[in-house]
Amino acid sequence: MGVRALRNERLGSALSWALRSKDASFATFLADRFLSEYSSKGGFSSLDLLDNLGTAMVLSDRLTFLGKYREFHRLHEEREFKSAANLLLQLLTNRMAPKKFWLTLLTDALPLLESEEVIFSTQQTYELMNCLEDISLSFRSSTYLHGDTADDAQLKPTKGQQEVEKQKLDLIRLALARNLARAILTEGSLE
């Protein structure tokens, strides 16, 4: 039933069947499809299901990441910026997020980094900078965005995509530097 739902492009229904059958590999595959959908469309389908995964998310690591990532978006929508920032940082520093998704996570951090209020502390900003450095060092390698399957011509990024990704890295680097300066000033004035 889950495979049939997947063939009909009903990811939520397919995930529901995977959870019922406790099929970890299918749930992981579907979580990856949800993440790919988010990357291409900028949003999630089946929000009710994702918002109510509960303990079922421990079926697979990728499903756990998907549930926590959706929680980050929910916290951000509810304007709970500190909690959202802490969760985003946790997803990155605990290596819960797949590395190919780190750039997306850091891009999601941009509004938090550029907000009027300093949301990320100095230490947290350094941790985000470390994640950015990991991406920058592996950016040219085939394992960053495309895993070991980068030999497949369909998955290789075009020159335009590579340029956009480099611009994102530069923008994130600038936002992190600004946030670090503001966090140092804020923390220094509190002492």
Side-chain angles (χ1 to χ4, degrees):
M1 295 297 286
V3 174
R4 185 181 309 165
L6 179 62
R7 278 192 217 123
N8 292 326
E9 295 297 318
R10 294 176 28 230
L11 285 178
S13 180
L15 181 59
S16 179
W17 281 106
L19 294 174
R20 284 184 197 151
S21 65
K22 297 188 183 340
D23 187 342
S25 61
F26 191 47
T28 299
F29 173 78
L30 292 171
D32 282 333
R33 289 285 300 266
F34 271 103
L35 293 171
S36 294
E37 177 186 69
Y38 177 82
S39 293
S40 64
K41 296 180 181 177
F44 291 112
S45 60
S46 306
L47 290 178
D48 286 342
L49 178 62
L50 295 178
D51 286 340
N52 295 297
L53 283 173
T55 58
M57 78 171 73
V58 299
L59 185 60
S60 81
D61 290 343
R62 194 60 48 90
L63 190 58
T64 302
F65 168 70
L66 177 63
K68 292 293 186 180
Y69 187 55
R70 173 59 195 140
E71 183 181 343
F72 159 77
H73 281 283
R74 186 184 51 74
L75 289 169
H76 193 275
E77 289 166 5
E78 294 172 358
R79 305 187 63 76
E80 294 181 34
F81 298 130
K82 288 272 191 193
S83 297
N86 288 333
L87 182 54
L88 182 77
L89 189 66
Q90 182 183 31
L91 291 173
L92 284 163
T93 58
N94 290 348
R95 307 293 196 242
M96 188 181 290
K99 197 163 192 176
K100 66 182 180 183
F101 212 71
W102 283 18
L103 183 58
T104 301
L105 290 172
L106 289 171
T107 303
D108 286 341
L110 280 172
L112 300 173
L113 290 165
E114 295 289 340
S115 70
E116 280 186 36
E117 177 189 358
V118 176
I119 294 174
F120 289 104
S121 69
T122 303
Q123 182 60 39
Q124 291 173 322
T125 305
Y126 281 130
E127 290 177 24
L128 290 173
M129 288 175 150
N130 187 35
C131 292
L132 179 65
E133 190 62 23
D134 282 353
I135 291 173
S136 296
L137 290 174
S138 61
F139 192 73
R140 289 187 179 88
S141 77
S142 63
T143 58
Y144 168 60
L145 291 174
H146 309 288
D148 296 329
T149 60
D151 296 333
D152 186 352
Q154 293 177 342
L155 297 177
K156 289 185 179 177
T158 64
K159 289 277 187 195
Q161 289 171 323
Q162 288 177 342
E163 186 59 35
V164 167
E165 289 164 355
K166 286 180 184 177
Q167 288 174 354
K168 282 183 184 178
L169 290 173
D170 291 341
L171 187 60
I172 293 165
R173 188 173 285 112
L174 178 62
L176 285 167
R178 284 184 190 153
N179 188 80
L180 181 61
R182 293 181 323 139
I184 289 170
L185 289 173
T186 302
E187 290 170 14
S189 66
L190 294 177
E191 291 178 6

